[in-house]
Amino acid sequence: MVKQTIQIFARVKPTVRKQPQGIYSIDEDEKLTPSLEIILPRDLADGFVNNKRENYRFKFQRIFDQDANQETIFESIAKPVAESVLAGYNGTIFAYGQTGSGKTFTITGGAERYSDRGIIPRTLSYIFEQLQKDSGKIYTTHISYLEIYNECGYDLLDPRHEASTLEDLPKVTILEDPDQNIHLKNLSLHQATTEEEALNLLFLGDTNRMIAETPMNQASTRSHCIFTIHLSSKEPGSATVRHAKLHLVDLAGSERVAKTGVGGQLLTEAKYINLSLHYLEQVIIALSEKHRSHIPYRNSMMTSVLRDSLGGNCMTTMIATLSLEKRNIDESISTCRFAQRVALIKNEAVLNEEVDPRLMIIRLQKEIQELKDELALVTGEQRTEALTEAELLQLEKLTTSFLEDQDPESRLEVGTDMRKIHHCFHHLKKLLNDKKIHGKSTVSSEIKEQDCQEPLKEEEYKKLRDLLQQRDNEINILVNMLKKEKKKAQDALHLSSMNRNEFRHSQSSPFPAGNPEGPRMSLSSAPTQAQDVSALGCRSSLLHRKTGMREEMSLGRQEAFEIFKRDHADIVTIEDNKQTLKQRFYEAKALGESINEARSKIGRLKEEITQRHMQQVALGISENIAASSKPDPVEEKLRSQVEEEKRRYKAMFTRLKALKVEIEHLQFLMEKAKVKLQKEFEAWWAEEATSLQVNSPAVNALNPMKPFLQTPEAQHERAQCLSDKSDVSARKILPSPCPVLHSQQQSGTGAFLEDSIPARPMSSIPLTGDSQTDSDILAFIKARQSILEKKCLQ
């Protein structure tokens, strides 16, 4: 990387008329930087009071006076830049000055004499001369010539220039890549193998330039032109390529419109020229200021193309052309000030090297072939491009057998060939995908079978609907009773002592069947029984999950099964077995994790031993050392660790098998105990249901009764009647849970329906007519009686 400021030079144009002495002076002291001093004598026409500045001093790298020739200009300015381009750095030379100050003559040269050649033809001659001398590298040269006229870009080397108008030519547009590199679309690159071809391209472009006659110059260039030399070089056999480009810029001259008095097309051209030079000066000012974040490169096409030349990866040189005549002295001072600002810009030129992809591909292919030969020499077998069909089938068989093997220490051995390893992985992936697809198809077929099942028969549907309606009516009655008796629940707590006295009195002297006190007391106990029934309904789902009974078991049967199980003699043994089974499960899980860890550790140790072997073999091959007969201490240590982990693994595996046998035995014992408990409950339930049906007076009245609440109108009337009776009875006596026991003992199993129909005899209990359902109702009534007895005795 080369960091340097833009080099500035000054060239004074020879004057046609003889100028008075003392307008400017050049100080070229060897110890100091050369400087140009411009002196402005005071003019008496401006008046006696004149505060204008009289002298200006500007510093340059070198100042060329009027007698300087083109050879000197090239040797001092262009030759160092051309040498840096040959070395691989980007370079730019541009001339700046007013119209008629000699920019085009300095860059391109004059056509009258051979010695008047400018920087571009002399640079081309120098570059091709150096290319012929340097035969150790391969060079390619391309030329492009861009014209910027009225802020539009045109290709000067386009063959359609002579036959078409400027508006019909394709315009050059600017494209920018993500790395902020500029690319010019529609700008052609022409290869030049000799100096003659390059000069012909230059002359072709010069003939296509826009030139017009102005008051300032008879052949004034009305556009900015950028002649670019693209140079590529590489050494034979090397993959590194160096790219460099040299911009030779001839700017159009600035001119004051009021001073020249031009109009029409010349006025339009002058406005665009001055505008683009103004944008160039803005970029120069922004680059010279410190801590400036934004540089307005995109304001004009010229600054966009010269982005690298101004503050980028380029070695840039500027030539300030001066016309130090009295009438042009102000423009010359402005040009010198612009050059001083340009001198503050610092560029960082980087060597443009990149790797040739074609040569890199060739090199990598050669390296791959060498590695294949070396691998074949080590393994003793020549590796082909692809695996054969027999090898592929053998690998698939090995993968299938590895998946079916239940031995935890089994391994899939396919060698060190990565092609075989990758094929095994692909085959394994294919098997897993096929398994997933098969599982999805099985699930979809099951869903279709479920959808294709025949609908329920009409009779079963009607039966279920009637049963559901009956259950809903029962729930509605209980909910209404709970709402009406909720406000009176607090009064029951204050009268609990009185209720106990009434309970004792009822035991000593029970009410006769026709006594009206009995129905009222039974009705007062309805809220408590309704609460018990609702709580029983809330626990039904939980009881079903705990007991695992059938779906069709009624609420009373579930409550009875819970009580039977709690009082059973084997419940303690079942709970102990359950706790032991849970402990064995935890222990087996921990052992399984330890076994997996031991297996992983054994695999890692074996891989370390294999890597140790491979390192020793590779070391012996590279250093031509025979294999040592002494045992490797590191390998012996690894083998001892493997044996220790294997012993530990076998001990844990034996313990896990014993735990598995114990867990299976405990599960069998628990299942056997559950089956025994369920069978004993079924026998007890059948016995209790039979005795209840024999002793109950309601059995005689089953046939003449109609189903309970058959129609919605009858249900509503019955619920309204019950609500009215409940309100009347509640106003007569406060609720008491304990006296209900006496009424239950008197009427046998009629306590449950007394909650719904107060003071109704057992013979009038409405049943469904179904023997199984009636049996469940009677069993539920008996179970509720035993629960209430226990509560009251407590």
Side-chain angles (χ1 to χ4, degrees):
M1 180 184 294
V2 178
K3 293 184 179 181
Q4 67 175 14
T5 56
I6 295 178
Q7 305 294 308
I8 58 173
F9 297 87
R11 184 180 189 184
V12 181
K13 179 185 177 182
T15 57
V16 178
R17 297 183 301 272
K18 186 176 181 180
Q19 295 295 325
Q21 298 295 328
I23 291 181
Y24 73 96
S25 63
I26 299 174
D27 185 8
E28 292 185 346
D29 190 357
E30 295 181 357
K31 297 181 180 179
L32 301 175
T33 305
S35 61
L36 173 67
E37 184 178 5
I38 300 175
I39 302 170
L40 291 177
R42 289 185 179 181
D43 192 356
L44 295 177
D46 295 335
F48 291 100
V49 180
N50 187 1
N51 294 326
K52 288 184 178 180
R53 188 174 176 180
E54 293 186 0
N55 60 340
Y56 297 87
R57 184 178 293 273
F58 304 100
K59 294 182 179 181
F60 294 90
Q61 263 72 31
R62 186 172 177 181
I63 302 168
F64 300 95
D65 207 349
Q66 299 180 17
D67 56 351
N69 55 18
Q70 296 284 65
E71 181 69 23
T72 306
I73 296 294
F74 171 74
E75 291 290 337
S76 302
I77 298 175
K79 188 175 180 179
V81 179
E83 291 176 351
S84 64
V85 171
L86 290 171
Y89 295 93
N90 295 334
T92 300
I93 301 173
F94 70 95
Y96 184 88
Q98 72 175 93
T99 299
S101 61
K103 299 185 300 300
T104 304
F105 180 79
T106 302
I107 295 297
T108 306
E112 297 178 359
R113 294 174 296 179
Y114 182 75
S115 60
D116 291 341
R117 292 179 303 153
I119 289 178
I120 295 179
R122 291 178 183 271
T123 303
L124 289 174
S125 300
Y126 178 77
I127 288 176
F128 280 100
E129 182 182 352
Q130 296 298 319
L131 295 185
Q132 290 178 359
K133 291 181 181 179
D134 189 3
S135 60
K137 295 181 180 179
I138 302 173
Y139 292 93
T140 55
T141 308
H142 292 81
I143 304 296
S144 66
Y145 210 169
L146 172 66
E147 179 185 35
I148 302 175
Y149 175 72
N150 291 350
E151 278 303 305
C152 295
Y154 300 97
D155 184 11
L156 288 176
L157 302 180
D158 192 344
R160 290 172 289 181
H161 251 288
E162 298 179 358
S164 303
T165 60
L166 198 63
E167 290 78 9
D168 296 335
L169 293 175
K171 296 181 181 180
V172 177
T173 56
I174 297 176
L175 302 178
E176 186 175 350
D177 60 10
D179 297 331
Q180 294 185 350
N181 296 321
I182 298 298
H183 303 277
L184 300 175
K185 185 181 179 182
N186 297 327
L187 181 63
S188 59
L189 281 177
H190 299 268
Q191 185 173 2
T193 57
T194 61
E195 178 185 353
E196 183 179 359
E197 293 179 3
L199 291 175
N200 289 335
L201 293 172
L202 172 63
F203 298 149
L204 176 63
D206 287 340
T207 56
N208 294 329
R209 290 186 64 176
M210 295 298 297
I211 298 175
E213 182 178 355
T214 64
M216 298 292 293
N217 190 2
Q218 293 182 355
S220 175
T221 55
R222 313 306 294 163
S223 62
H224 309 294
C225 291
I226 303 174
F227 185 85
T228 307
I229 305 171
H230 301 268
L231 191 65
S232 300
S233 64
K234 65 178 180 179
E235 296 180 358
S238 176
T240 304
V241 182
R242 290 184 179 181
H243 297 282
K245 58 184 178 179
L246 174 60
H247 293 303
L248 300 172
V249 186
D250 181 15
L251 300 176
S254 61
E255 54 188 17
R256 296 185 179 181
V257 177
K259 185 176 180 179
T260 57
V262 296
Q265 183 64 24
L266 293 177
L267 178 60
T268 303
E269 294 171 355
K271 287 192 295 185
Y272 276 110
I273 290 171
N274 292 340
L275 184 62
S276 62
L277 293 177
H278 169 67
Y279 287 141
L280 175 62
E281 187 171 4
Q282 281 188 345
V283 170
I284 297 298
I285 293 172
L287 288 170
S288 61
E289 292 179 356
K290 293 182 179 180
H291 309 294
R292 183 71 177 265
S293 59
H294 174 66
I295 309 298
Y297 287 117
R298 294 186 177 89
N299 285 351
S300 68
M301 185 175 185
M302 183 180 62
T303 53
S304 298
V305 175
L306 298 178
R307 173 183 291 185
D308 286 342
S309 303
L310 305 173
N313 176 24
C314 189
M315 300 177 69
T316 308
T317 300
M318 172 188 169
I319 306 171
T321 57
L322 307 174
S323 178
L324 294 178
E325 296 180 357
K326 187 174 182 180
R327 63 191 180 97
N328 298 328
I329 200 70
D330 292 335
E331 283 82 358
S332 299
I333 292 173
S334 176
T335 300
C336 292
R337 286 175 174 170
F338 179 77
Q340 302 303 307
R341 287 193 291 269
V342 170
L344 299 176
I345 301 173
K346 182 179 290 186
N347 286 353
E348 296 181 359
V350 180
L351 192 63
N352 300 306
E353 290 184 344
E354 64 179 18
V355 178
D356 189 358
R358 293 176 297 176
L359 295 178
M360 182 57 67
I361 290 173
I362 295 173
R363 176 180 294 180
L364 291 176
Q365 288 177 348
K366 183 179 178 181
E367 186 177 354
I368 289 171
Q369 186 60 41
E370 292 177 355
L371 291 175
K372 285 183 177 180
D373 296 339
E374 184 178 352
L375 185 62
L377 183 63
V378 173
T379 58
E381 60 180 17
Q382 188 70 27
R383 181 171 296 181
T384 58
E385 292 296 329
L387 297 174
T388 61
E389 291 294 333
E391 290 176 338
L392 295 177
L393 291 175
Q394 182 65 23
L395 290 174
E396 293 177 1
K397 290 181 180 179
L398 289 175
T399 306
T400 307
S401 62
F402 172 73
L403 293 175
E404 294 175 354
D405 193 0
Q406 300 297 328
D407 188 6
E409 295 185 0
S410 63
R411 298 182 65 181
L412 181 60
E413 299 290 347
V414 294
T416 58
D417 192 347
M418 292 303 298
R419 298 172 302 168
K420 296 181 179 180
I421 295 173
H422 287 313
H423 182 75
C424 290
F425 276 114
H426 287 312
H427 185 64
L428 181 62
K429 184 178 180 181
K430 181 181 178 182
L431 292 177
L432 291 175
N433 291 333
D434 294 343
K435 186 177 181 181
K436 289 181 181 179
I437 294 172
H438 180 68
K440 290 181 180 179
S441 62
T442 306
V443 172
S444 61
S445 63
E446 291 178 357
I447 294 174
K448 290 180 180 178
E449 289 177 1
Q450 292 178 0
D451 294 338
C452 295
Q453 288 180 355
E454 295 182 358
L456 295 175
K457 295 181 180 180
E458 186 65 21
E459 298 178 356
E460 295 178 354
Y461 173 72
K462 186 176 180 181
K463 183 178 180 181
L464 291 174
R465 185 178 59 185
D466 294 338
L467 183 61
L468 180 62
Q469 188 175 9
Q470 182 178 349
R471 296 292 184 262
D472 287 340
N473 292 330
E474 293 174 359
I475 291 172
N476 290 332
I477 293 171
L478 294 175
V479 170
N480 289 331
M481 295 175 68
L482 284 174
K483 286 182 179 179
K484 292 176 182 178
E485 299 298 331
K486 184 177 181 180
K487 295 181 180 179
K488 303 172 185 178
Q490 296 179 355
D491 298 335
L493 298 175
H494 298 288
L495 299 176
S496 60
S497 60
M498 183 173 59
N499 292 336
R500 292 192 187 95
N501 294 331
E502 291 176 357
F503 173 68
R504 297 190 190 96
H505 180 66
S506 63
Q507 284 182 340
S508 60
S509 58
F511 290 104
N515 195 352
E517 292 296 328
R520 286 187 295 182
M521 293 177 66
S522 300
L523 180 63
S524 66
S525 65
T528 307
Q529 293 184 4
Q531 292 177 2
D532 294 338
V533 173
S534 63
L536 181 63
C538 295
R539 294 196 301 267
S540 61
S541 60
L542 181 62
L543 289 172
H544 174 68
R545 288 195 299 270
K546 288 184 178 180
T547 58
M549 299 297 287
R550 294 173 297 175
E551 284 288 336
E552 61 271 9
M553 182 181 289
S554 61
L555 300 180
R557 196 169 184 178
Q558 292 179 10
E559 183 76 16
F561 180 78
E562 188 70 14
I563 297 171
F564 182 82
K565 184 178 71 172
R566 185 182 60 197
D567 298 333
H568 197 270
D570 295 336
I571 190 65
V572 178
T573 305
I574 293 174
E575 292 296 328
D576 292 341
N577 289 339
K578 188 185 296 182
Q579 294 296 329
T580 306
L581 183 62
K582 188 182 295 184
Q583 293 177 1
R584 295 298 180 269
F585 268 123
Y586 287 152
E587 187 176 354
K589 184 178 179 182
L591 272 176
E593 294 176 353
S594 301
I595 287 172
N596 290 332
E597 291 177 359
R599 186 189 304 168
S600 302
K601 190 172 181 181
I602 290 171
R604 289 196 302 268
L605 291 173
K606 288 184 177 181
E607 289 178 359
E608 290 179 6
I609 293 173
T610 305
Q611 291 178 2
R612 184 76 179 174
H613 272 296
M614 294 176 65
Q615 290 176 0
Q616 290 178 355
V617 171
L619 183 63
I621 293 174
S622 60
E623 297 180 359
N624 294 325
I625 301 174
S628 177
S629 60
K630 296 181 180 180
D632 187 8
V634 178
E635 184 178 349
E636 292 296 329
K637 183 178 179 181
L638 292 174
R639 291 187 181 279
S640 62
Q641 291 179 2
V642 169
E643 294 299 328
E644 180 65 26
E645 289 297 326
K646 283 185 177 181
R647 287 193 294 270
R648 181 167 163 264
Y649 173 86
K650 291 180 180 179
M652 290 188 295
F653 195 77
T654 305
R655 173 59 181 162
L656 184 61
K657 286 184 177 180
L659 279 176
K660 184 178 179 182
V661 174
E662 187 175 357
I663 288 171
E664 291 177 353
H665 181 67
L666 288 173
Q667 289 177 343
F668 175 76
L669 290 179
M670 289 187 64
E671 190 66 25
K672 187 176 180 181
K674 286 181 180 180
V675 172
K676 179 182 177 183
L677 180 64
Q678 190 170 354
K679 286 183 178 180
E680 291 180 0
F681 169 74
E682 292 291 342
W684 174 80
W685 178 266
E687 182 181 355
E688 292 293 327
T690 304
S691 62
L692 189 60
Q693 290 180 358
V694 172
N695 297 329
S696 176
V699 178
N700 300 324
L702 286 177
N703 294 328
M705 294 303 296
K706 296 181 180 180
F708 180 60
L709 295 176
Q710 293 178 352
T711 62
E713 291 81 3
Q715 294 170 7
H716 180 70
E717 292 176 0
R718 189 159 194 160
Q720 187 66 31
C721 180
L722 290 175
S723 300
D724 296 339
K725 290 181 180 180
S726 177
D727 291 338
V728 173
S729 302
R731 285 194 297 269
K732 292 180 180 179
I733 186 168
L734 294 173
S736 177
C738 292
V740 114
L741 180 62
H742 176 64
S743 61
Q744 290 173 353
Q745 291 173 351
Q746 282 185 339
S747 58
T749 59
F752 173 73
L753 293 178
E754 284 180 2
D755 293 344
S756 301
I757 307 172
R760 188 166 183 173
M762 186 66 182
S763 60
S764 61
I765 294 175
L767 298 176
T768 60
D770 186 3
S771 61
Q772 179 64 30
T773 305
D774 294 339
S775 176
D776 290 343
I777 291 174
L778 296 176
F780 173 68
I781 291 171
K782 186 174 181 181
R784 295 298 301 164
Q785 281 182 346
S786 61
I787 292 171
L788 292 174
E789 289 176 0
K790 290 181 181 180
K791 287 183 179 179
C792 293
L793 291 176
Q794 290 176 358

